[in-house]
Amino acid sequence: RVIYDKCHMEHLYVDEEEINRILYLLNSDKSVKGCRVSIDFGNKKNIVGYVVDSEYTDKTKEELEDEYGFALKEVKEVIDSESLLSNELQDLASFMSKEYACPLISCLQTMLPKSLKPKSGKKVGIKLVAYVTCLNEAAGLTVKQKEVYDLVKSKGKVLKSELSSSIVNKLVENQSLKIIYEEDYRKVNLGNNINDKVYELTSDQNEAYEKIIAEQGTYLLEGVTGSGKTEVYLNLAKHYLSLNKTVIILVPEIVLTSQIASRFKSFFKEKLALLHSSLSEGEKYDEYRKIKKGLAKIIIGTRSAIFAPCNNIGLIIIDEEHSESYKQETTPSYHTIDVASYRIKYNNATLVLGSATPSLESKVRAKTGLYKQLYLRKRINNKELPRVEIVDMNKERSGTIISTKLKEEILLRLKTNNK
């Protein structure tokens, strides 16, 4: 069975099930479930589909056509060498399709980066870097050729771009050197604001941390602004990483992704991966593949990062859980917390929902015992909370955007250099 992008089928007057699931033949003894394939459909050529199921049969094509009552076409090409999505994510797609009453293809499209989605489009390839390694030193090398050869020999391999092309080509020609290509992941820029300070947890922070690691479940971590929820997240990530578990951390906005990633980067280095819409397609492709290969164990991102192709999840953190940005408005119209709840049940993991102002739904679930309630009641170093003053805009001049009081306070802050 193959799933197709619905947009290729809009001209057909068939029901949703017929649009989504169509039988094709493939002469292979290898399972292709979860792979993309190229097929022809009607007058359309080389459409890319997604295999949702496969079944071996020893019947001939003619016997199958007699059984089904229609002609069967064959898959032209299997695009992927392995499944793009794990069994967990394929099951999750089926769950979402039923839960949110939407086509399965929409769920699959949501889970995959653009370059891997089951439809025709621009492909993003693996980034390869050329290195030079030694073979055998040839006789009659010039002084400069000998210097290059000795440098490569001492280091084992050297980037080709760091050496003279003409000398390298000559040494390759006489089989003194050899050019090899290795994959190089595209680097995601986090800026220079890396915070590598180690802070000791306060008593409130440590109490919350100890309770979370002691028992699996869903926790509502309600902490006032400046109470240090990020430090609790950081220590939780360290703990689950020590257990060889994967951690997903979600934030509502892209700018917050960079902020929290800059705090985590110095501790987790290459084990950290980012997933959000501001990355280039090449960066998304590489981050996705790093996660799928298990090279990245800490995933930080916005809403879509909940579909990260990681295995053995130990912890999912949703910061600012009250934010409306965790609700997807287009098909499939999912709520990130629902998807996270599915994944922690599948992995016997823990979910932490953090907020200074929890949503009404989460607060009620905590009150009724569905969530375990935790508090961070004090700010770091017992700093006072900002004073809040509410201004009645009905008493302000008509048409004004901000109140007189707010304008005065803004001007005062500017005059005192925001102090």
Side-chain angles (χ1 to χ4, degrees), residues 127-134 148-149 151-169 172 177-185 187:
K127 180 183 177 182
L128 297 175
V129 176
Y131 288 90
V132 178
T133 62
C134 286
V148 169
Y149 179 85
L151 174 65
V152 175
K153 186 176 181 180
S154 64
K155 292 188 175 183
K157 66 177 182 181
V158 178
L159 280 170
K160 183 175 182 290
S161 58
E162 296 179 354
L163 303 172
S164 167
S165 296
S166 59
I167 294 177
V168 168
N169 292 338
V172 169
L177 297 180
K178 176 183 178 183
I179 298 176
I180 61 173
Y181 294 89
E182 295 184 2
E183 182 176 354
D184 183 42
Y185 291 105
K187 304 296 182 184

Side-chain angles (χ1 to χ4, degrees), residues 1 93 95 109 165 169 174 270 351 354 362 368:
R1 297 180 188 171
F95 163 78
Q109 298 276 41
S165 296
N169 292 338
N174 65 21
E270 299 307 317
L351 172 62
S362 294
T368 56

Side-chain angles (χ1 to χ4, degrees), residues 347-401:
N347 290 275
N348 295 318
T350 293
L351 172 62
V352 174
L353 307 174
S355 177
T357 55
S359 65
L360 182 60
E361 299 95 324
S362 294
K363 195 63 181 175
V364 169
R365 288 169 182 166
K367 290 287 187 183
T368 56
L370 290 175
Y371 295 168
K372 300 176 178 69
Q373 177 78 68
L374 298 173
Y375 292 99
L376 296 177
R377 302 181 188 276
K378 299 178 182 178
R379 302 183 81 188
I380 300 298
N381 298 328
N382 292 319
K383 293 181 180 178
E384 292 185 6
L385 287 168
R387 181 172 57 85
V388 178
E389 182 178 341
I390 300 175
V391 177
D392 186 354
M393 292 300 290
N394 290 321
K395 298 180 181 179
E396 295 292 319
R397 182 164 51 89
S398 177
T400 186
I401 298 176

